[in-house]
Amino acid sequence: MGAEEDKQKSIPVLPWMRSPIDVSSFDECPLTLLPCLDPRLKVALENMEISSLFPVQLAVWQETIGPGSFERDLCINSPTGSGKTLAYALPIVQMLSTRSVKCLRALVVLPTRDLALQVKEVFSAIAPAVGLSVGLAVGQSSIADEISELINRPKLQLGVSFDPEDFLPELQSSVDILVATPGRLMDHINNTKGFTLEHLCYLVVDETDRLLREAYQSWLPTVLQITRANDESFLPCAHTFLPSPFSLKTIRRSGLERGFKGKPYPRLVKMVLSATLTQDPSKLAQLDLHHPLFLTTGQKRYQLPEKLQSYKLFCESKYKPLYLVALLQSLGEEKCIVFTSSVESTHRLCTLLNSFDNLPFKIKEYSGLQRQSVRSKTLKAFRKGDIQVLVSSDAMTRGMDVEGVRNVVNYDMPAYIKTYIHRAGRTARAGQTGCCFTLLREDEVKRFNKLLRKAENNSCSKYSVPSSYIEPLHSVYESALEKLKETVEMETSRKRKTGFKSSLSGERK
Ligand SMILES: Nc1ncnc2c1ncn2[C@@H]1O[C@H](COP(=O)(O)OP(=O)(O)OP(=O)(O)O)[C@@H](O)[C@H]1O
């Protein structure tokens, strides 16, 4: 495909996407100059060592708390590490800060557990300052524990007798904001008594392009249908009812009805975000957006962080692991994530690296092949700095924010620019510098150059590992390969045995 065709393809089809708000025209804004910021939230932000808002955060603030006043749904395409989480968390928390009755009013959906945990941390750092509670529905704990965290069963006062005719204790939400993954969200929608989206005012779909591929039990149509049904029951006259303490009626944002015929009057506000937001009309249609406003950064559809330096490193296929080890050694002990193309190669590569004697860093794998508890433990150790090199498959690392990751290595070349963006984006976050290295065979170079041309800030220099790092590794490499072979054989026979045992126990049942 020629450059002209690439350009054509990047022109958005949807009219509202053709005249976006360019986030790069915004500057950082000190908290002291931010209009309408609740002083309690200012203190909470300062406790997080945040003294100003990043451009995307200011742009979103203007469209929500500022003059935009949440009147349109927001589609936000902003580079990795630009601060999208706080961009939606802060205005939602500020908007909900005046509510006195507790019920579930904001739902944030994310594709993975670790990501949901990370986003919950951000909400938890600001929401309590204004008396709001944040819940998590990701399947980290048992469903029973999760339910008791999310649902409050009001206790009847001892000694006071109620006529059951007059009083039926209602289950109420213990949280105002819920961060969830699609699977557990659907579990609660389908099975948890007292769990309701009836009062939902804000829906955030983070990592939208990834989540739109996640059709898990049709979570998105279900959420939209529940909230829409509720929207439609809120005819303007319903506002005249006085809310009783036991049957709460929520009045959602009264969006401008004028000009938006056919849209429910008090509506659910949606915010959708990604560093690689889809422009595909059929995919975006699934979100049923209300008069959407597109916020994006720069001219090109794909943006790499401003302070990211990309490098390509040529190597023979046969010696790739050896080049990787030499590269890691040359980078020193700073935290690094190494990406491979599959869960299997993640496991193999990690095993091989651990078969090298005396490497001066600790290496662990992180992939969808592992149990969640193992993954979470690894991630925790990586955050703490107990592990320096994380060998990872793609699926798990979108949005992951780990302080101190200075380098990312594409051991296997990514097949798509989107993959490159999300992998490289684990470094150079929040305005910091960072490097992304891609190991390439000769026959991959042309394809890689073409792939990178699709992004802005795409300069990519050649990187050579000093031969003094490579030469001494040849003999160690041979013995590491031998050890790998032994480990693979051991693992295969262990799997065969456990497979045999479980098939036997299956027969006994
Ligand atoms: N205003 C701010 N000042 C200082 N640091 C900030 C600010 N906002 C966010 N950060 C930090 O920037 C980092 C990146 O933020 P965040 O994870 O929200 O990025 P993102 O845009 O969602 O990235 P990705 O697309 O990879 O998910 C985080 O470590 C966060 O704490």
Side-chain angles (χ1 to χ4, degrees):
M1 195 188 286
E4 194 51 38
E5 267 176 276
D6 270 351
K7 206 172 140 197
Q8 285 294 325
K9 232 187 142 188
S10 73
I11 295 175
V13 182
L14 287 162
W16 58 266
M17 283 196 131
R18 291 192 206 134
S19 44
I21 289 187
D22 186 357
V23 173
S24 58
S25 65
F26 285 74
D27 289 322
E28 280 195 26
C29 174
L31 296 183
T32 43
L33 299 182
L34 191 66
C36 310
L37 178 66
D38 186 308
R40 295 167 295 172
L41 290 176
K42 181 169 175 281
V43 173
L45 289 169
E46 282 162 353
N47 289 340
M48 293 164 78
E49 295 181 4
I50 288 179
S51 55
S52 58
L53 287 198
F54 285 165
V56 68
Q57 295 162 352
L58 178 61
V60 174
W61 186 261
Q62 288 208 352
E63 296 307 325
T64 51
I65 307 300
S69 146
F70 270 116
E71 273 162 10
R72 303 172 70 172
D73 285 344
L74 300 182
C75 281
I76 301 153
N77 184 60
S78 172
T80 50
S82 58
K84 293 187 285 299
T85 316
L86 197 62
Y88 60 77
L90 188 61
I92 288 177
V93 169
Q94 164 117 355
M95 282 307 288
L96 297 182
S97 63
T98 51
R99 306 293 172 121
S100 52
V101 179
K102 194 167 287 298
C103 62
L104 181 54
R105 305 205 199 245
L107 171 65
V108 183
V109 187
L110 291 124
T112 64
R113 255 187 247 189
D114 287 329
L115 208 44
L117 276 162
Q118 191 178 291
V119 166
K120 196 223 169 200
E121 292 289 300
V122 175
F123 273 102
S124 297
I126 54 174
V130 290
L132 298 172
S133 333
V134 191
L136 192 65
V138 295
Q140 185 181 235
S141 46
S142 73
I143 185 98
D145 287 348
E146 218 171 71
I147 292 171
S148 66
E149 290 284 315
L150 300 182
I151 306 294
N152 178 29
R153 189 184 291 271
K155 287 187 188 79
L156 297 182
Q157 275 184 318
L158 285 176
V160 182
S161 61
F162 290 95
D163 182 344
E165 289 278 301
D166 296 338
F167 181 74
L168 252 181
E170 265 194 36
L171 300 172
Q172 291 164 354
S173 176
S174 306
V175 299
D176 305 276
I177 299 159
L178 180 67
V179 183
T181 51
R184 259 303 158 91
L185 174 66
M186 286 307 291
D187 286 346
H188 289 297
I189 289 177
N190 290 328
N191 306 316
T192 301
K193 282 206 179 71
F195 183 86
T196 174
L197 300 181
E198 194 185 347
H199 311 293
L200 205 66
C201 300
Y202 303 99
L203 171 67
V204 178
V205 183
D206 201 343
E207 301 292 353
T208 309
D209 45 332
R210 165 92 160 75
L211 270 173
L212 289 180
R213 276 187 272 131
E214 187 91 46
Y216 189 84
Q217 286 186 16
S218 308
W219 73 272
L220 181 59
T222 307
V223 169
L224 294 183
Q225 207 212 323
I226 297 172
T227 48
R228 200 178 297 131
N230 195 44
D231 270 338
E232 277 152 13
S233 70
F234 278 113
L235 296 170
C237 62
H239 298 182
T240 55
F241 295 152
L242 276 181
S244 91
F246 303 118
S247 79
L248 178 76
K249 291 276 175 234
T250 298
I251 299 169
R252 296 215 181 104
R253 288 218 47 76
S254 340
L256 289 179
E257 203 184 18
R258 224 171 334 124
F260 309 127
K261 283 217 173 80
K263 291 282 167 191
Y265 179 42
R267 67 184 182 86
L268 172 72
V269 172
K270 294 174 208 123
M271 296 169 89
V272 305
L273 311 91
S274 176
T276 53
L277 192 74
T278 180
Q279 296 186 347
D280 180 339
S282 65
K283 288 193 179 137
L284 288 166
Q286 296 173 48
L287 293 155
D288 187 28
L289 297 168
H290 169 77
H291 194 46
L293 182 67
F294 185 36
L295 289 88
T296 189
T297 306
Q299 298 301 312
K300 275 199 179 174
R301 180 170 170 197
Y302 300 115
Q303 288 277 332
L304 285 159
E306 220 175 304
K307 292 191 183 160
L308 176 85
Q309 185 60 57
S310 294
Y311 292 102
K312 48 194 169 193
L313 204 141
F314 304 127
C315 58
E316 273 178 72
S317 172
K318 168 168 138 190
Y319 292 118
K320 234 171 134 182
L322 191 149
Y323 273 81
L324 173 65
V325 172
L327 172 64
L328 293 175
Q329 282 183 330
S330 77
L331 296 177
E333 287 177 25
E334 282 172 340
K335 279 185 207 165
C336 175
I337 306 181
V338 178
F339 285 100
T340 74
S341 57
S342 68
V343 286
E344 290 80 17
S345 37
T346 294
H347 181 62
R348 211 170 35 242
L349 181 64
C350 186
T351 314
L352 176 63
L353 292 179
N354 279 315
S355 306
F356 275 80
D357 287 328
N358 302 326
L359 288 186
F361 29 75
K362 199 154 177 217
I363 306 160
K364 284 263 179 176
E365 79 181 88
Y366 181 85
S367 87
L369 209 58
Q370 300 168 301
R371 271 182 298 149
Q372 176 65 39
S373 57
V374 175
R375 271 206 310 267
S376 298
K377 202 170 146 204
T378 303
L379 189 55
K380 203 168 159 195
F382 188 53
R383 285 192 197 283
K384 262 177 78 188
D386 295 343
I387 294 168
Q388 291 78 42
V389 177
L390 201 67
V391 184
S392 178
S393 61
D394 279 317
M396 292 300 133
T397 46
R398 239 186 206 244
M400 203 164 88
D401 185 61
V402 176
E403 209 188 324
V405 175
R406 288 280 153 270
N407 302 298
V408 164
V409 178
N410 290 314
Y411 179 76
D412 292 323
M413 185 192 123
Y416 308 101
I417 183 63
K418 281 189 178 195
T419 315
Y420 187 86
I421 301 252
H422 289 286
R423 286 181 179 183
R426 295 319 98 212
T427 186
R429 298 176 71 72
Q432 306 269 305
T433 56
C435 299
C436 179
F437 301 86
T438 305
L439 269 62
L440 293 170
R441 294 188 314 256
E442 211 182 324
D443 60 313
E444 291 174 321
V445 177
K446 224 169 139 186
R447 209 151 38 94
F448 178 72
N449 290 341
K450 190 177 162 194
L451 178 136
L452 219 52
R453 273 202 297 273
K454 294 184 180 162
E456 220 161 282
N457 307 330
N458 62 1
S459 77
C460 186
S461 328
K462 206 172 140 191
Y463 187 87
S464 307
V465 182
S467 57
S468 58
Y469 281 102
I470 295 176
E471 294 306 326
L473 284 172
H474 278 280
S475 63
V476 198
Y477 179 45
E478 292 306 321
S479 63
L481 281 176
E482 279 305 311
K483 278 192 210 160
L484 172 71
K485 219 168 123 192
E486 283 165 26
T487 315
V488 170
E489 276 165 14
M490 258 165 49
E491 283 180 354
T492 317
S493 90
R494 203 169 45 222
K495 263 190 215 148
R496 229 179 274 134
K497 274 185 203 154
T498 44
F500 179 63
K501 266 190 201 155
S502 56
S503 71
L504 274 184
S505 63
E507 274 170 14
R508 273 192 211 114
K509 272 183 190 166

mmCIF file of all heavy atoms in Angstrom, residues 50 52-54 57 79-86 207 275 399 401 426 429-430, ligand 1:
data_model
loop_
_atom_site.group_PDB
_atom_site.id
_atom_site.type_symbol
_atom_site.label_atom_id
_atom_site.label_comp_id
_atom_site.label_asym_id
_atom_site.label_seq_id
_atom_site.Cartn_x
_atom_site.Cartn_y
_atom_site.Cartn_z
ATOM 1 N N ILE A 50 0.706 15.430 42.483
ATOM 2 C CA ILE A 50 0.279 16.024 41.209
ATOM 3 C C ILE A 50 0.039 17.514 41.452
ATOM 4 O O ILE A 50 -0.768 17.887 42.304
ATOM 5 C CB ILE A 50 -0.997 15.313 40.695
ATOM 6 C CG1 ILE A 50 -0.597 13.924 40.201
ATOM 7 C CG2 ILE A 50 -1.692 16.121 39.608
ATOM 8 C CD1 ILE A 50 -1.708 13.080 39.686
ATOM 9 N N SER A 52 -0.093 19.763 38.597
ATOM 10 C CA SER A 52 -0.778 20.362 37.452
ATOM 11 C C SER A 52 -1.451 19.255 36.643
ATOM 12 O O SER A 52 -1.101 18.081 36.786
ATOM 13 C CB SER A 52 0.227 21.118 36.585
ATOM 14 O OG SER A 52 1.232 20.234 36.162
ATOM 15 N N LEU A 53 -2.412 19.652 35.831
ATOM 16 C CA LEU A 53 -3.073 18.656 34.975
ATOM 17 C C LEU A 53 -2.362 18.579 33.643
ATOM 18 O O LEU A 53 -1.915 19.598 33.095
ATOM 19 C CB LEU A 53 -4.540 19.037 34.738
ATOM 20 C CG LEU A 53 -5.529 18.869 35.875
ATOM 21 C CD1 LEU A 53 -6.953 18.866 35.352
ATOM 22 C CD2 LEU A 53 -5.280 17.596 36.693
ATOM 23 N N PHE A 54 -2.266 17.381 33.110
ATOM 24 C CA PHE A 54 -1.689 17.177 31.787
ATOM 25 C C PHE A 54 -2.667 17.678 30.727
ATOM 26 O O PHE A 54 -3.878 17.788 30.995
ATOM 27 C CB PHE A 54 -1.407 15.687 31.563
ATOM 28 C CG PHE A 54 -0.204 15.151 32.311
ATOM 29 C CD1 PHE A 54 -0.006 13.780 32.448
ATOM 30 C CD2 PHE A 54 0.748 16.012 32.857
ATOM 31 C CE1 PHE A 54 1.094 13.273 33.126
ATOM 32 C CE2 PHE A 54 1.854 15.503 33.540
ATOM 33 C CZ PHE A 54 2.022 14.134 33.668
ATOM 34 N N GLN A 57 -5.951 15.942 30.296
ATOM 35 C CA GLN A 57 -6.791 16.090 31.494
ATOM 36 C C GLN A 57 -7.479 17.456 31.492
ATOM 37 O O GLN A 57 -8.658 17.566 31.830
ATOM 38 C CB GLN A 57 -5.933 15.892 32.751
ATOM 39 C CG GLN A 57 -5.388 14.474 32.841
ATOM 40 C CD GLN A 57 -4.212 14.298 33.781
ATOM 41 O OE1 GLN A 57 -3.666 15.287 34.297
ATOM 42 N NE2 GLN A 57 -3.803 13.062 33.989
ATOM 43 N N PRO A 79 -2.054 9.606 23.491
ATOM 44 C CA PRO A 79 -0.961 8.633 23.572
ATOM 45 C C PRO A 79 -0.874 7.885 24.900
ATOM 46 O O PRO A 79 -1.412 8.334 25.920
ATOM 47 C CB PRO A 79 0.292 9.493 23.384
ATOM 48 C CG PRO A 79 -0.167 10.726 22.740
ATOM 49 C CD PRO A 79 -1.584 10.945 23.156
ATOM 50 N N THR A 80 -0.185 6.779 24.859
ATOM 51 C CA THR A 80 0.074 5.999 26.070
ATOM 52 C C THR A 80 0.793 6.902 27.083
ATOM 53 O O THR A 80 1.606 7.749 26.692
ATOM 54 C CB THR A 80 1.001 4.819 25.745
ATOM 55 O OG1 THR A 80 2.129 5.310 25.009
ATOM 56 C CG2 THR A 80 0.294 3.744 24.942
ATOM 57 N N GLY A 81 0.462 6.740 28.319
ATOM 58 C CA GLY A 81 1.155 7.478 29.381
ATOM 59 C C GLY A 81 0.807 8.951 29.465
ATOM 60 O O GLY A 81 1.454 9.702 30.205
ATOM 61 N N SER A 82 -0.235 9.395 28.730
ATOM 62 C CA SER A 82 -0.549 10.828 28.735
ATOM 63 C C SER A 82 -1.484 11.201 29.885
ATOM 64 O O SER A 82 -1.820 12.365 30.059
ATOM 65 C CB SER A 82 -1.155 11.249 27.392
ATOM 66 O OG SER A 82 -2.313 10.488 27.123
ATOM 67 N N GLY A 83 -1.935 10.193 30.653
ATOM 68 C CA GLY A 83 -2.744 10.488 31.840
ATOM 69 C C GLY A 83 -4.241 10.384 31.614
ATOM 70 O O GLY A 83 -5.026 11.110 32.222
ATOM 71 N N LYS A 84 -4.647 9.439 30.778
ATOM 72 C CA LYS A 84 -6.080 9.316 30.465
ATOM 73 C C LYS A 84 -6.899 8.898 31.697
ATOM 74 O O LYS A 84 -8.048 9.289 31.825
ATOM 75 C CB LYS A 84 -6.291 8.301 29.317
ATOM 76 C CG LYS A 84 -5.730 8.797 27.982
ATOM 77 C CD LYS A 84 -6.074 7.891 26.831
ATOM 78 C CE LYS A 84 -5.285 6.594 26.788
ATOM 79 N NZ LYS A 84 -3.822 6.769 26.643
ATOM 80 N N THR A 85 -6.303 8.106 32.587
ATOM 81 C CA THR A 85 -7.074 7.628 33.742
ATOM 82 C C THR A 85 -7.598 8.795 34.577
ATOM 83 O O THR A 85 -8.794 8.890 34.855
ATOM 84 C CB THR A 85 -6.201 6.706 34.622
ATOM 85 O OG1 THR A 85 -5.485 5.815 33.769
ATOM 86 C CG2 THR A 85 -7.043 5.921 35.604
ATOM 87 N N LEU A 86 -6.693 9.689 34.946
ATOM 88 C CA LEU A 86 -7.127 10.828 35.754
ATOM 89 C C LEU A 86 -8.014 11.766 34.934
ATOM 90 O O LEU A 86 -8.863 12.459 35.491
ATOM 91 C CB LEU A 86 -5.890 11.570 36.281
ATOM 92 C CG LEU A 86 -6.118 12.513 37.435
ATOM 93 C CD1 LEU A 86 -6.639 11.771 38.662
ATOM 94 C CD2 LEU A 86 -4.833 13.256 37.785
ATOM 95 N N GLU A 207 -9.601 1.610 27.193
ATOM 96 C CA GLU A 207 -9.041 0.669 26.206
ATOM 97 C C GLU A 207 -10.177 0.202 25.286
ATOM 98 O O GLU A 207 -10.381 -0.992 25.058
ATOM 99 C CB GLU A 207 -8.380 -0.538 26.891
ATOM 100 C CG GLU A 207 -7.256 -0.194 27.847
ATOM 101 C CD GLU A 207 -6.019 0.356 27.155
ATOM 102 O OE1 GLU A 207 -5.955 0.361 25.906
ATOM 103 O OE2 GLU A 207 -5.115 0.821 27.875
ATOM 104 N N ALA A 275 -5.318 4.709 23.383
ATOM 105 C CA ALA A 275 -4.195 5.344 22.681
ATOM 106 C C ALA A 275 -4.280 4.999 21.203
ATOM 107 O O ALA A 275 -3.559 5.573 20.382
ATOM 108 C CB ALA A 275 -2.874 4.851 23.260
ATOM 109 N N GLY A 399 -1.976 -0.654 28.815
ATOM 110 C CA GLY A 399 -2.324 0.258 29.906
ATOM 111 C C GLY A 399 -1.499 0.104 31.165
ATOM 112 O O GLY A 399 -1.621 0.907 32.085
ATOM 113 N N ASP A 401 0.971 0.466 34.011
ATOM 114 C CA ASP A 401 1.757 1.631 34.386
ATOM 115 C C ASP A 401 2.708 1.237 35.515
ATOM 116 O O ASP A 401 2.295 1.157 36.668
ATOM 117 C CB ASP A 401 0.786 2.738 34.850
ATOM 118 C CG ASP A 401 1.494 4.031 35.159
ATOM 119 O OD1 ASP A 401 2.117 4.608 34.257
ATOM 120 O OD2 ASP A 401 1.439 4.472 36.331
ATOM 121 N N ARG A 426 4.794 1.294 27.336
ATOM 122 C CA ARG A 426 5.037 0.934 28.743
ATOM 123 C C ARG A 426 6.189 1.743 29.298
ATOM 124 O O ARG A 426 6.448 1.752 30.492
ATOM 125 C CB ARG A 426 5.350 -0.568 28.890
ATOM 126 C CG ARG A 426 4.239 -1.544 28.527
ATOM 127 C CD ARG A 426 2.884 -1.129 29.000
ATOM 128 N NE ARG A 426 2.133 -0.483 27.926
ATOM 129 C CZ ARG A 426 1.235 0.478 28.120
ATOM 130 N NH1 ARG A 426 0.979 0.942 29.302
ATOM 131 N NH2 ARG A 426 0.598 1.013 27.105
ATOM 132 N N ARG A 429 6.501 7.267 29.873
ATOM 133 C CA ARG A 429 5.173 7.673 30.346
ATOM 134 C C ARG A 429 5.251 8.971 31.141
ATOM 135 O O ARG A 429 6.298 9.288 31.684
ATOM 136 C CB ARG A 429 4.575 6.554 31.212
ATOM 137 C CG ARG A 429 4.372 5.275 30.423
ATOM 138 C CD ARG A 429 3.888 4.140 31.283
ATOM 139 N NE ARG A 429 2.506 4.264 31.738
ATOM 140 C CZ ARG A 429 1.455 4.123 30.954
ATOM 141 N NH1 ARG A 429 1.617 3.841 29.688
ATOM 142 N NH2 ARG A 429 0.238 4.259 31.449
ATOM 143 N N ALA A 430 4.152 9.669 31.174
ATOM 144 C CA ALA A 430 4.027 10.912 31.955
ATOM 145 C C ALA A 430 5.180 11.886 31.667
ATOM 146 O O ALA A 430 5.763 12.465 32.576
ATOM 147 C CB ALA A 430 3.957 10.578 33.451
HETATM 148 N N1 LIG B 1 -1.230 15.403 36.150
HETATM 149 C C1 LIG B 1 -0.303 14.504 36.368
HETATM 150 N N2 LIG B 1 0.889 14.850 36.907
HETATM 151 C C2 LIG B 1 1.860 13.917 37.135
HETATM 152 N N3 LIG B 1 1.730 12.617 36.838
HETATM 153 C C3 LIG B 1 0.572 12.211 36.297
HETATM 154 C C4 LIG B 1 -0.511 13.125 36.046
HETATM 155 N N4 LIG B 1 -1.522 12.431 35.494
HETATM 156 C C5 LIG B 1 -1.125 11.156 35.406
HETATM 157 N N5 LIG B 1 0.126 11.029 35.878
HETATM 158 C C6 LIG B 1 0.922 9.787 35.885
HETATM 159 O O1 LIG B 1 1.158 9.445 34.527
HETATM 160 C C7 LIG B 1 1.226 8.037 34.378
HETATM 161 C C8 LIG B 1 0.402 7.603 33.180
HETATM 162 O O2 LIG B 1 -0.973 7.812 33.423
HETATM 163 P P1 LIG B 1 -2.073 6.817 32.869
HETATM 164 O O3 LIG B 1 -1.776 5.432 33.286
HETATM 165 O O4 LIG B 1 -3.385 7.384 33.191
HETATM 166 O O5 LIG B 1 -1.798 6.933 31.292
HETATM 167 P P2 LIG B 1 -2.686 6.478 30.065
HETATM 168 O O6 LIG B 1 -2.821 7.648 29.171
HETATM 169 O O7 LIG B 1 -3.938 5.845 30.556
HETATM 170 O O8 LIG B 1 -1.749 5.386 29.377
HETATM 171 P P3 LIG B 1 -2.117 4.028 28.570
HETATM 172 O O9 LIG B 1 -2.691 4.455 27.259
HETATM 173 O O10 LIG B 1 -0.828 3.321 28.431
HETATM 174 O O11 LIG B 1 -3.128 3.314 29.402
HETATM 175 C C9 LIG B 1 0.779 7.447 35.693
HETATM 176 O O12 LIG B 1 1.901 6.993 36.394
HETATM 177 C C10 LIG B 1 0.150 8.607 36.435
HETATM 178 O O13 LIG B 1 0.311 8.513 37.823
#
